Amino acid sequence: MTDALSGTKEDLCALLARESRFDTRDGTPRYIRLANTLREVVRNRELSSGAALPSERLLAEMTGLSRVTVRRGIELLVREGILEQRRGSGTYVLAPVERFEQPLAAITSFTEDMLSFGRKPETRWVAREYASPSAQEAMTLGLSPGDRVLRLHRLRLADALPLAVELAIVPADLLPNLSMLGTSLYTAMASAGARPHKALQRMHACALPEFEARLLGAETGEPAFFLERISRTDTGRVVEFTRSHFKGDRFDFVAELNLHRET
């Protein structure tokens, strides 16, 4: 993309007409090539948020593609959340959604992560109470009959934006008084001499359940990430069993990998 766009339909059509990206010599379908071109224009901010795209008919005329191909390309970007189709009005560029990188190679708290992004972390409590553990929680934490847990259910936000719903379970003897709990669970655990030293995390894509969707201001069934973490101290004691739902359109989970060399 060499010429800056003014954001008008005419400029966009002229650009697409000049781009020789719609042949199939490398096997890429034409509708994907069109989607790639439009995506690049939006990401380069050459077409501003809220700008209207030309009609399917005009795009087809200017690119030499069929209207079916144009429609498929647009539908792909609608599914990605880059474009929005408004009935009776047209297709528009959506404002970009800010995403956060969540590291997988180190144990960090949500508070620490958001502060590193320059954001203001916030917690809204759903529940914080002492209770009897479920069978799964007791087994995971290695508890004895009669032991209690501290159940911490909270909505996590950054700059007032809902990002995740987290249910953390810790042995009650680690934090026997709720006054010990501040804004960061890990800070409180560190003060109690039980800061997690290592953890096993499992993560998979899921459909957002109704309860979590309501807390996050999202739609039930919306794509999300489910993360389960079991943390241990340096002595091997399990001190945390956490299950979280993260909004799928807000997070990228990243891990740094090293090349394994055979000896």
Side-chain angles (χ1 to χ4, degrees):
M1 306 292 170
T2 56
D3 297 329
L5 294 178
S6 65
T8 66
K9 296 181 182 181
E10 293 77 10
D11 287 335
L12 178 60
C13 282
L15 171 71
L16 294 176
R18 290 197 305 269
E19 293 293 327
S20 58
R21 300 186 175 203
F22 307 116
D23 60 77
T24 56
R25 283 175 292 183
D26 68 351
T28 303
R30 289 185 174 91
Y31 79 94
I32 293 180
R33 286 180 172 272
L34 174 63
N36 290 344
T37 299
L38 292 173
R39 188 188 300 109
E40 184 178 347
V41 168
V42 173
R43 288 180 175 173
N44 288 344
R45 301 184 185 276
E46 296 170 310
L47 194 61
S48 59
S49 300
L53 260 66
S55 66
E56 290 180 3
R57 179 189 59 77
L58 187 54
L59 280 172
E61 289 178 358
M62 298 302 293
T63 60
L65 301 174
S66 70
R67 291 186 64 173
V68 171
T69 299
V70 169
R71 186 175 303 120
R72 290 185 67 188
I74 290 175
E75 288 173 350
L76 180 60
L77 297 184
V78 169
R79 290 196 297 270
E80 293 180 11
I82 294 174
L83 301 179
E84 177 186 33
Q85 290 181 312
R86 303 174 190 171
R87 185 178 297 275
S89 178
T91 303
Y92 297 84
V93 178
L94 286 175
V97 175
E98 182 178 8
R99 301 181 68 87
F100 299 91
E101 285 194 354
Q102 184 75 13
L104 293 176
I107 302 176
T108 57
S109 71
F110 180 88
T111 299
E112 292 169 337
D113 291 337
M114 292 304 110
L115 289 175
S116 72
F117 292 133
R119 302 301 182 184
K120 180 183 178 182
E122 180 185 348
T123 294
R124 294 180 188 171
W125 291 100
V126 179
R128 45 180 170 176
E129 58 188 6
Y130 294 98
S132 297
S134 67
Q136 182 188 17
E137 292 163 356
M139 181 176 65
T140 301
L141 293 169
L143 301 178
S144 301
D147 284 347
R148 305 270 285 174
V149 296
L150 176 57
R151 192 181 304 276
L152 302 170
H153 203 177
R154 49 195 172 165
L155 172 66
R156 313 307 299 265
L157 307 94
D159 292 343
L161 179 68
L163 296 177
V165 178
E166 178 184 277
L167 174 60
I169 311 296
V170 300
D173 66 296
L174 294 180
L175 300 171
N177 193 317
L178 285 177
S179 64
M180 301 173 65
L181 184 65
T183 58
S184 171
L185 172 60
Y186 280 4
T187 298
M189 294 174 73
S191 297
R195 172 82 189 208
H197 178 70
K198 60 182 178 179
L200 175 66
Q201 290 193 142
R202 293 185 175 89
M203 182 182 67
H204 63 257
C206 71
L208 203 56
E210 180 180 0
F211 179 74
E212 284 76 11
R214 188 164 62 250
L215 289 174
L216 292 168
E219 296 291 333
T220 300
E222 187 174 304
F225 293 108
F226 176 80
L227 187 144
E228 179 183 279
R229 177 159 61 192
I230 300 171
S231 303
R232 301 175 182 270
T233 64
D234 54 0
T235 63
R237 181 186 179 184
V238 179
V239 291
E240 177 200 17
F241 179 35
T242 293
R243 287 153 288 180
S244 305
H245 288 85
F246 291 82
K247 286 205 69 183
D249 63 347
R250 293 291 180 181
F251 284 90
D252 292 315
F253 289 86
V254 297
E256 183 175 348
L257 305 178
N258 294 315
L259 178 64
H260 173 70
R261 298 183 180 275
E262 295 183 358
T263 58

